[in-house]
Amino acid sequence: MSSSFKPNPLSLSVPDPALDRWLRDSGYLDLLDSSAPAPAAAAPTRASPASTSSGAGAAADVLAFARTLASLLALNPFACLSAADLAAPTPSWSLAFIGAPGVASYSWPPTPTQARLRVQENVRRYARNYAALSVLVFACCLYRMPMSLLGLLASLAVWEAVRYCRKRWELATRAPGIGQALLHCAQIATAILLYVCNLQFALVYTIGLSYAVMMLHASLRKLTPSSLSVPANKNRRAQPRRS
């Protein structure tokens, strides 16, 4: 079967890394996500008749799954996160974060490269959403652990009392030594309160659960055009094009 396109000496050949870099800089990462190559282990299953059995196919799938999972466990999801990402507007929870209804917005990444691409980009896009979920998880942990909530409130009361005393008697200027001693006493009292009330367990539960939810969503959520994640640009894309 002859090719539809003939070689052209004036055509330009763009290397794959350069094309990927241009797609990243231009905000078309969804094209990289949708055009990610299939796992290399799936190629010999068609060529070799002996490898067409269900056992070999299942073993290849398990191996690809394990390779992708290992890359996710070894990945630093905050490597590309910057202060500008945290200062950006919060993406829409229904359309951007969860996904539009009727659209296949989630899938397991077939390759470790695609998994890393999804996680790092989704963490940048939905950083404020993940932060809000972490606060919600922490509030739920405090609700389930009333002693930790009481310890947190007591420590806040201690620091408020220290602030009032330093301001009321002007300890910072009149008696700086007493002011420093008062600060050290407040630090010791806060550490004892938080330890006795088991607030460290609430923090560990919050960090672990929030990290698991973030990695699960960031790895399964397909990449969409970056303009769809910003509320200000959503209506702009929806407007019809005028001739």
Side-chain angles (χ1 to χ4, degrees):
M1 184 176 180
S2 60
S3 175
S4 301
F5 299 95
K6 296 181 179 180
N8 187 354
L10 299 180
S11 62
L12 297 178
S13 177
V14 181
D16 290 341
L19 179 60
D20 294 351
R21 193 180 309 111
W22 180 84
L23 291 175
R24 292 172 186 269
D25 297 338
S26 304
Y28 294 104
L29 287 176
D30 54 313
L31 299 180
L32 287 178
D33 190 15
S34 61
S35 61
T45 57
R46 294 183 180 180
S48 177
S51 62
T52 56
S53 61
S54 59
D61 294 339
V62 171
L63 182 61
F65 177 84
R67 201 162 40 232
T68 303
L69 185 60
S71 66
L72 290 176
L73 294 177
L75 176 65
N76 179 16
F78 308 106
C80 299
L81 188 64
S82 62
D85 300 325
L86 296 175
T90 304
S92 172
W93 286 91
S94 57
L95 295 180
F97 186 76
I98 298 178
V103 179
S105 302
Y106 298 89
S107 67
W108 178 255
T111 60
T113 302
Q114 187 176 1
R116 290 192 295 267
L117 174 66
R118 282 188 184 181
V119 170
Q120 292 180 349
E121 181 62 22
N122 283 330
V123 167
R124 291 184 58 190
R125 292 185 181 183
Y126 308 118
R128 295 175 65 93
N129 301 85
Y130 296 139
L133 286 179
S134 300
V135 173
L136 180 61
V137 171
F138 183 63
C140 293
C141 290
L142 292 179
Y143 176 77
R144 298 290 298 178
M145 305 173 65
M147 287 299 298
S148 299
L149 178 60
L150 292 178
L152 180 61
L153 295 178
S155 62
L156 292 178
V158 168
W159 283 101
E160 182 62 24
V162 170
R163 187 194 66 82
Y164 174 78
C165 293
R166 287 171 59 88
K167 183 178 180 181
R168 176 68 176 77
W169 291 294
E170 298 179 357
L171 297 179
T173 56
R174 293 184 178 181
I178 298 178
Q180 289 295 328
L182 192 62
L183 286 177
H184 293 319
C185 292
Q187 293 173 353
I188 296 174
T190 301
I192 294 175
L193 282 172
L194 298 183
Y195 178 78
V196 171
C197 298
N198 295 327
L199 185 64
Q200 65 273 15
F201 292 107
L203 291 176
V204 170
Y205 295 153
T206 301
I207 294 174
L209 187 57
S210 300
Y211 185 82
V213 171
M214 180 192 69
M215 290 297 294
L216 185 64
H217 177 272
S219 59
L220 297 181
R221 182 70 170 92
K222 292 182 179 180
L223 294 180
T224 56
S226 57
S227 57
L228 293 180
S229 302
V230 182
N233 295 335
K234 182 177 60 176
N235 296 330
R236 190 185 307 171
R237 289 179 59 92
Q239 292 178 356
R241 195 175 179 184
R242 297 181 180 180
S243 58

